[in-house]
Amino acid sequence: MSTSLLYHTQCIRDYQYESTEYKDGHVIFNIRRKFFNCSKCNCPQVSVTISRERLIKGEKIGRKLFFLKVPVHRIYCSQCKSTTIENVSFISSPKARITRSLERTIVELRSEMCISAIAEFFGLDWKTVKDCEKRHLEKKFRYIPLKNVEVIGIDELYVKTQGREKYITIVRDLESGAVLYVGDGKGADSLQAFNLKLKHSEAKITTVAMDMSKAYVSWGKNSLPEALIVFDHFHVIKLMNEKLDKVRRRVAGEIDEEQRKLLKNQRYLFLRNVENLEPDAKQLLDNLRNVFKELGDVSMMKEGLRSIYQISRNCSQAEAAFKNWCAIARQTQIKELEAMSKTIENNLQGIIAFWKTNKLSNAGMEGFNNKVRWLIRQAYGFQDKDYFILKIFNLPNTKTEAVS
């Protein structure tokens, strides 16, 4: 009966139950292997001697911690004359101290429980739980197919974990949402390993969505010359908001203390979309635009830029609207608007490609970046770099409400 229990509760075969011990509130099964073969020639004609005993933790029985006491034998084969040490078949590696069944249970619980909670429940060190999940993720993401990928998004992310600050570059399949690559740093150098993967996979990338970083644009043109580069509206408006905020800070520095009080704590009033403002907030924004003409002009130009994406139906309409916007921006002689108009003119083909690709957006990458930041906060930082990268690969399958 207890041998059957070994199989049905711990998924252990080829071992025979011998006796049970109860010690310190734990349940301990003494088991032994039923038969022996030579691991090299598979010959059954072997002699065995006990080398040592091992205590291996299995899945809990009720509320009791459960252990397996198993003798490890030295095996001598009379046919091939070799001496080997018995492999314990129900553990994942020779030095493992928990059963495969317990490892599978830990992996299954990780989507619902944090590492420390699982460690406490099974009486394990938290590093053991982490290592179980890490081995599972390494196996899961050992090979990432690129052959059928056509549309990718590239973005860099600034991360700070365990006091270390750095950039990482993330490449995702924008159709399936899968993470294809995570590289250290930003720019073309961070994508060198991804270049090798693309060559070996013979992938046919048709579209690349990115921000207007010169380094990424250069990489796209050199590595994927046939692909269409798209600068989606999210990054264009984000850059315009940065220019607007820069003007706000500059104007605040040029006015006196009384006027500065009017602009205090009004940063997001200018950055929010007008249609999302309450009536009182809209009135306040109109008043501030009238009082601070330069800031008001830039704010109106931001809304004009947004309206291009709302009104334009095709590439030709969008191109004409952007050129007209750039001409008006230069006439204002506001240096921030002049810089923005130059950026748009230099990247116009990538910007209007937004309409060629049925308004393809890389905004999902920004949402994914927020999930990465959430991941870091939940774990209070990551000391293991490889584990951190594997967790990023697994993020599309992770519930953000669960604790990491």
Side-chain angles (χ1 to χ4, degrees):
M1 179 63 185
S2 295
T3 299
S4 177
L5 194 66
L6 278 177
Y7 172 72
H8 289 291
T9 64
Q10 307 294 326
C11 301
I12 295 176
R13 300 180 181 183
D14 303 329
Y15 281 82
Q16 180 71 41
Y17 166 81
E18 289 192 323
S19 63
T20 303
E21 298 178 27
Y22 299 96
K23 186 177 180 181
D24 299 327
H26 304 157
V27 179
I28 302 173
F29 271 21
N30 291 287
I31 62 174
R32 62 176 175 83
R33 188 182 284 273
K34 293 180 180 178
F35 52 83
F36 296 88
N37 288 328
C38 176
S39 59
K40 292 187 176 181
C41 66
N42 204 34
C43 176
Q45 297 174 2
V46 296
S47 59
V48 298
T49 55
I50 295 177
S51 172
R52 59 194 173 97
E53 274 191 340
R54 292 196 59 185
L55 196 64
I56 299 170
K57 180 172 286 188
E59 297 196 53
K60 293 177 73 172
I61 295 182
R63 296 186 177 184
K64 301 290 185 182
L65 295 180
F66 177 72
F67 294 87
L68 296 156
K69 187 183 286 186
V70 54
V72 180
H73 297 84
R74 183 180 286 106
I75 303 172
Y76 174 74
C77 178
S78 58
Q79 181 169 311
C80 66
K81 309 298 182 184
S82 64
T83 301
T84 57
I85 299 295
E86 171 192 359
N87 291 322
V88 181
S89 61
F90 54 85
I91 57 177
S92 59
S93 65
K95 294 185 179 180
R97 297 185 177 183
I98 62 176
T99 63
R100 291 179 189 271
S101 178
L102 180 53
E103 287 194 18
R104 284 195 296 270
T105 300
I106 288 171
V107 170
E108 291 168 0
L109 289 175
R110 273 297 287 121
S111 62
E112 306 296 336
M113 297 173 66
C114 66
I115 287 177
S116 58
I118 294 175
E120 183 180 358
F121 181 75
F122 287 110
L124 297 169
D125 185 84
W126 71 268
K127 291 182 181 178
T128 303
V129 178
K130 186 210 78 173
D131 289 341
C132 285
E133 185 185 22
K134 184 178 178 180
R135 283 193 295 272
H136 167 72
L137 294 177
E138 284 173 339
K139 185 177 180 180
K140 182 177 181 180
F141 297 110
R142 184 174 297 155
Y143 174 71
I144 299 174
L146 300 176
K147 188 174 181 180
N148 298 320
V149 177
E150 295 183 351
V151 183
I152 63 173
I154 302 174
D155 202 6
E156 78 274 2
L157 174 65
Y158 176 78
V159 295
K160 183 177 181 181
T161 173
Q162 294 295 323
R164 296 187 296 272
E165 302 175 7
K166 65 175 183 178
Y167 278 95
I168 59 173
T169 295
I170 300 175
V171 182
R172 293 181 70 210
D173 181 349
L174 293 185
E175 294 180 319
S176 69
V179 179
L180 305 177
Y181 174 77
V182 180
D184 279 330
K186 61 178 181 177
D189 291 342
S190 64
L191 293 166
Q192 287 181 355
F194 186 61
N195 278 344
L196 296 175
K197 290 186 176 184
L198 286 174
K199 290 177 182 178
H200 293 144
S201 67
E202 298 180 355
K204 296 180 180 179
I205 307 297
T206 60
T207 310
V208 185
M210 62 177 75
D211 59 21
M212 290 177 281
S213 164
K214 292 182 180 179
Y216 287 142
V217 173
S218 175
W219 174 84
K221 290 180 178 178
N222 294 330
S223 302
L224 299 168
E226 303 298 324
L228 178 65
I229 295 176
V230 181
F231 305 131
D232 71 299
H233 74 290
F234 176 85
H235 286 105
V236 176
I237 301 303
K238 180 182 177 182
L239 183 60
M240 182 62 209
N241 276 333
E242 290 173 0
K243 301 293 184 186
L244 173 58
D245 200 44
K246 188 175 180 180
V247 173
R248 182 191 62 80
R249 293 196 304 270
R250 177 169 59 77
V251 169
E254 295 172 352
I255 57 180
D256 58 38
E257 189 64 31
E258 278 302 312
Q259 288 185 309
R260 193 175 296 125
K261 290 179 181 178
L262 298 175
L263 287 179
K264 190 175 182 180
N265 299 325
Q266 302 302 334
R267 178 190 180 195
Y268 293 104
L269 179 66
F270 287 94
L271 297 181
R272 285 176 185 161
N273 298 335
V274 172
E275 64 270 16
N276 295 333
L277 295 176
E278 296 293 332
D280 291 346
K282 286 183 181 179
Q283 184 61 51
L284 177 59
L285 178 62
D286 290 338
N287 293 339
L288 291 176
R289 282 173 173 173
N290 293 329
V291 174
F292 306 101
K293 185 178 183 305
E294 188 176 18
L295 183 57
D297 289 345
V298 179
S299 177
M300 293 298 294
M301 289 297 290
K302 183 204 81 168
E303 293 303 323
L305 190 62
R306 289 183 61 243
S307 69
I308 295 175
Y309 287 96
Q310 297 168 356
I311 297 172
S312 300
R313 296 182 179 179
N314 52 51
C315 292
S316 58
Q317 289 182 3
E319 184 175 5
F322 278 116
K323 287 180 178 179
N324 183 58
W325 188 94
C326 291
I328 297 172
R330 284 193 299 271
Q331 290 175 4
T332 63
Q333 297 184 345
I334 299 172
K335 60 182 181 180
E336 289 82 4
L337 284 179
E338 289 176 340
M340 186 65 194
S341 66
K342 187 176 180 180
T343 299
I344 290 175
E345 288 171 339
N346 291 339
N347 298 280
L348 186 57
Q349 293 307 309
I351 292 173
I352 64 174
F354 175 71
W355 282 267
K356 294 179 182 177
T357 55
N358 194 27
K359 297 186 176 182
L360 175 69
S361 175
N362 204 27
M365 286 294 295
E366 295 298 322
F368 186 79
N369 289 348
N370 289 333
K371 290 186 73 173
V372 175
R373 295 186 186 99
W374 166 86
L375 181 68
I376 295 170
R377 288 195 304 271
Q378 292 294 320
Y380 296 98
F382 285 85
Q383 294 180 341
D384 189 334
K385 170 190 164 186
D386 294 334
Y387 179 56
F388 175 50
I389 290 175
L390 288 168
K391 291 291 286 181
I392 293 176
F393 275 110
N394 199 47
L395 258 183
N397 309 314
T398 303
K399 300 177 184 177
T400 53
E401 66 269 16
V403 181
S404 282

